[in-house]
Amino acid sequence: MNPCLVYIVSLGHSGSTILQYLLAGQTNVLGLGEIARLNRGRDLSNSLQRCSCGLSVNSCSIWKDIVTDKNTSETSFYTHLSEKLKVHFPQVTHWIDTSKSLKHIDPWLQQLKDGVISEIKILYLFRDVRGWALSEKARRNKRKLPSRSLLMLMFDWKRRQKRMLKQLQKTQPDFLIVSYESIIFQTQSALERIASFVDLQVDNKNWLEGLKKSVVHDVYGNRMKDDPVKRSQIIYDDRWQYHFCINLLTPLLFPVWRLNTRLRTSGQP
Ligand SMILES: [Zn+2]
């Protein structure tokens, strides 16, 4: 039986890392992180870059011998990876790619066409606009990027979510809207809903227990993947709840508020 590819589409800092770790707590699931970032002409043959499994890229069971230099074509990279995964992890039924942007799904559509994978299931993960805007503002400050007002960030959130939804409606594979908040506050039911959507045989019904043992092979994802304490528990950044300005502004920006409410309603179990 060919595996199913679970592709996570989201904006940055919307919870794709924790979602991947939760899913990978099941024995039949293999989390592969942001695969598209590996396939950007980077020469990994002598790389000291670490995989989230704790080993260097050259020692990791997944990424060693996977050549990614500027001479490797996209197709051969994905073909080589799929062949290797099928040989080394024959029991795995689901692979996860957290590349986020839909522009990186084409090589998987090709793998589907070639009969290498059985199907592609897209999880469209979104985070409440208030939490996302504050987190994005903090990230920009930390990285010394040009500062943007909360107002601009909220409109940016709406513009990008709308664009992703439009692209998703045009893409062939099925997609499921998943709210980040539902994963945090309704973990069991949210994950059961996802498992049913991706046809995953759940062998550990306690998702939080699975999270503690979960191993993922993510090379370029969020920094959280390198922190064994943070990645093995669910931590929610609730600062937006105490932020007067953002709570006052959001309902006034009616189109932003409407989309946030619509997504939240569709994304809950
Ligand atoms: Zn690894």
Side-chain angles (χ1 to χ4, degrees):
M1 178 78 182
N2 284 333
C4 162
L5 191 270
V6 179
Y7 194 90
I8 301 181
V9 173
S10 72
L11 296 183
H13 298 271
S14 296
S16 59
T17 306
I18 192 73
L19 176 55
Q20 171 173 230
Y21 270 92
L22 278 162
L23 290 170
Q26 302 293 331
T27 32
N28 293 337
V29 180
L30 195 54
L32 299 163
E34 296 186 32
I35 298 174
R37 292 178 72 180
L38 274 158
N39 180 39
R40 282 188 195 163
R42 290 178 156 122
D43 185 353
L44 291 175
S45 49
N46 291 307
S47 174
L48 293 174
Q49 185 82 34
R50 290 194 94 74
C51 175
S52 59
C53 66
L55 300 171
S56 73
V57 169
N58 288 320
S59 320
C60 162
S61 56
I62 308 269
W63 300 116
K64 72 173 173 193
D65 312 325
I66 298 277
V67 181
T68 62
D69 61 29
K70 59 182 182 310
N71 300 318
T72 315
S73 76
E74 189 172 74
T75 313
S76 68
F77 170 78
Y78 282 86
T79 306
H80 186 181
L81 175 62
S82 300
E83 280 168 0
K84 185 172 177 183
L85 294 177
K86 283 169 102 168
V87 171
H88 291 269
F89 303 90
Q91 79 288 3
V92 168
T93 56
H94 290 72
W95 302 341
I96 308 179
D97 182 349
T98 59
S99 293
K100 295 190 187 85
S101 166
L102 265 175
K103 67 180 179 207
H104 302 303
I105 205 167
D106 288 353
W108 287 122
L109 290 171
Q110 188 57 47
Q111 298 286 302
L112 181 67
K113 214 168 146 189
D114 296 344
V116 178
I117 51 175
S118 63
E119 57 185 341
I120 299 175
K121 293 279 190 176
I122 297 179
L123 300 178
Y124 170 46
L125 179 65
F126 93 99
R127 181 174 173 186
D128 188 287
V129 64
R130 294 163 290 187
W132 184 85
L134 273 188
S135 164
E136 179 63 9
K137 195 164 173 60
R139 184 188 75 87
R140 296 183 80 90
N141 287 344
K142 204 169 168 186
R143 295 208 176 169
K144 300 200 171 25
L145 295 167
S147 181
R148 302 189 73 186
S149 69
L150 284 173
L151 195 75
M152 277 170 75
L153 288 171
M154 283 193 277
F155 275 114
D156 193 36
W157 175 93
K158 177 186 157 268
R159 185 183 54 80
R160 293 167 69 190
Q161 302 287 5
K162 279 250 177 201
R163 195 178 56 200
M164 283 196 293
L165 276 169
K166 213 169 161 185
Q167 285 174 332
L168 278 170
Q169 273 142 10
K170 272 194 253 162
T171 315
Q172 209 68 28
D174 280 349
F175 72 94
L176 179 76
I177 299 179
V178 179
S179 128
Y180 168 56
E181 283 73 19
S182 74
I183 292 169
I184 303 289
F185 300 113
Q186 297 156 273
T187 313
Q188 290 292 129
S189 49
L191 270 294
E192 274 164 26
R193 175 175 173 255
I194 293 171
S196 145
F197 172 72
V198 303
D199 300 320
L200 171 67
Q201 210 69 40
V202 175
D203 55 9
N204 181 0
K205 286 195 177 1
N206 189 336
W207 295 88
L208 293 174
E209 271 305 308
L211 178 64
K212 289 187 189 138
K213 292 177 281 180
S214 181
V215 177
V216 157
H217 297 273
D218 190 353
V219 179
Y220 288 111
N222 187 309
R223 273 180 303 124
M224 186 183 127
K225 71 179 175 54
D226 301 317
D227 187 328
V229 177
K230 277 191 181 165
R231 73 184 184 211
S232 60
Q233 56 185 315
I234 288 185
I235 305 168
Y236 186 62
D237 177 2
D238 64 354
R239 276 175 295 181
W240 66 268
Q241 294 186 34
Y242 311 100
H243 198 281
F244 178 72
C245 196
I246 205 148
N247 283 295
L248 184 74
L249 266 178
T250 317
L252 294 176
L253 308 174
F254 185 66
V256 174
W257 181 251
R258 190 176 53 188
L259 181 61
N260 196 51
T261 309
R262 196 183 115 204
L263 288 174
R264 203 179 55 206
T265 314
S266 325
Q268 277 176 340

